[in-house]
Amino acid sequence: MKNNITLGHWLAVPAFALSLGASNLASAQDTTLKAVTDPSFVPFEMMDQDSGEMVGFDMDILHEIADRAGFKVDLNTMDFNGIIPAVQTGNVDLAIAGITITDERQEIVDFSDPYYDSGLRILVSDGSDIDSLDDLEGKRVATKIGSTSYDYLQENLGDDAEITPYPGSSDMYMALMGGSADAVFYDAPNVGYFAQTKGKVKTAGPLYEGQQYGIAFAKGSQWVEPANKALKAMHEDGTYDEIHEKWFGAAPDAK
């Protein structure tokens, strides 16, 4: 960026350096990154019906990182299965949507350091006797398109179950509540939140496949390191724990 600064020959060098540094800082603060999220992954991201704004754990994490790293966010939403391709092709600069860090995804996008530990869990109706992945054999299982839960089901059940991937979280939960699915298999925090808030359903079995969520950036993004530094500082000063308690009721170490 060109600095249009006219200086007299009497201006001291330190003053010029200070002026140039301030200009570059202001430029960095004016940087706006295009971000995308999935609006159906509660309590990580969801639409506040009163304000029309996206809220949730991920949203608080993202905005705090942006403030500390020195960029602004232009946030839009899309179905989860389109998020990684959008980052990969450069249509957006970053994505945050409870995105599990995997080797396959790391080949096409860059991830921040992990910011949340997760896994996969079964959700069933209250009267169901399903209690493990083996119990899903021969059953109708709902999950989400493009998710690691879908990949896990394919690898471990394959044709032994009727696996149906849905475009949104609400779709797969409606399938369970409406009786067209015997179980939902998806990310544990989302499944647990639905069970706590909706009733008539329960989580079942153990936690499968420990996972970690990260923020996805376009390959070679200069913002990965600033984001990681911001995240580290949030852990050190307690801000991360405060955000975690706000949405999950306890700091991670206390759970």
Side-chain angles (χ1 to χ4, degrees):
M1 180 176 180
K2 184 181 292 184
N3 291 292
N4 295 320
I5 303 172
T6 302
L7 299 169
H9 66 277
W10 61 85
L11 186 60
V13 172
F16 171 76
L18 179 61
S19 174
L20 183 58
S23 175
N24 288 339
L25 177 60
S27 176
Q29 293 292 337
D30 288 341
T31 299
T32 299
L33 301 186
K34 293 180 181 179
V36 68
T37 190
D38 172 3
S40 66
F41 191 52
V42 296
F44 289 82
E45 36 266 327
M46 50 192 168
M47 182 69 72
D48 185 319
Q49 298 303 319
D50 294 329
S51 67
E53 300 290 329
M54 292 298 299
V55 298
F57 177 77
D58 277 359
M59 298 298 95
D60 286 353
I61 292 292
L62 175 61
H63 290 302
E64 184 68 27
I65 286 176
D67 286 344
R68 294 179 185 229
F71 61 86
K72 298 176 183 178
V73 175
D74 176 16
L75 182 67
N76 288 285
T77 62
M78 66 171 58
D79 288 341
F80 186 81
N81 60 309
I83 283 180
I84 293 296
V87 179
Q88 179 188 8
T89 57
N91 289 331
V92 299
D93 300 300
L94 67 89
I96 183 169
I99 305 171
T100 301
I101 301 171
T102 67
D103 291 339
E104 292 77 14
R105 289 172 177 168
Q106 285 180 311
E107 292 179 359
I108 54 178
V109 299
D110 286 341
F111 278 101
S112 69
D113 291 336
Y115 69 89
Y116 189 88
D117 293 330
S118 182
L120 305 174
R121 180 148 283 167
I122 300 169
L123 182 76
V124 294
S125 300
D126 276 342
S128 175
D129 58 0
I130 293 173
D131 196 40
S132 71
L133 200 69
D134 291 340
D135 294 334
L136 295 180
E137 292 185 7
K139 298 294 194 299
R140 300 164 299 169
V141 187
T143 188
K144 194 167 183 177
I145 292 174
S147 66
T148 53
S149 53
Y150 175 73
D151 295 337
Y152 190 87
L153 287 172
Q154 290 288 354
E155 292 172 5
N156 290 274
L157 287 177
D159 295 333
D160 292 335
E162 184 182 327
I163 303 166
T164 303
Y166 289 87
S169 302
S170 59
D171 300 317
M172 63 186 186
Y173 291 136
M174 286 178 62
L176 175 63
M177 301 290 281
S180 57
D182 300 304
V184 166
F185 188 70
Y186 193 47
D187 291 47
N190 188 254
V191 164
Y193 185 83
F194 187 86
Q196 290 177 0
T197 56
K198 297 300 180 181
K200 297 183 180 180
V201 291
K202 63 182 180 180
T203 57
L207 192 68
Y208 293 93
E209 194 179 50
Q211 303 175 338
Q212 292 181 308
Y213 297 161
I215 303 173
F217 289 87
K219 269 292 184 183
S221 173
Q222 68 184 54
W223 294 102
V224 175
E225 184 176 353
N228 286 340
K229 289 181 178 178
L231 184 59
K232 180 180 179 181
M234 289 164 60
H235 279 289
E236 291 174 347
D237 65 22
T239 303
Y240 179 90
D241 286 353
E242 291 176 5
I243 295 173
H244 196 284
E245 288 176 15
K246 174 182 175 181
W247 293 102
F248 300 106
D253 291 342
K255 291 190 69 176

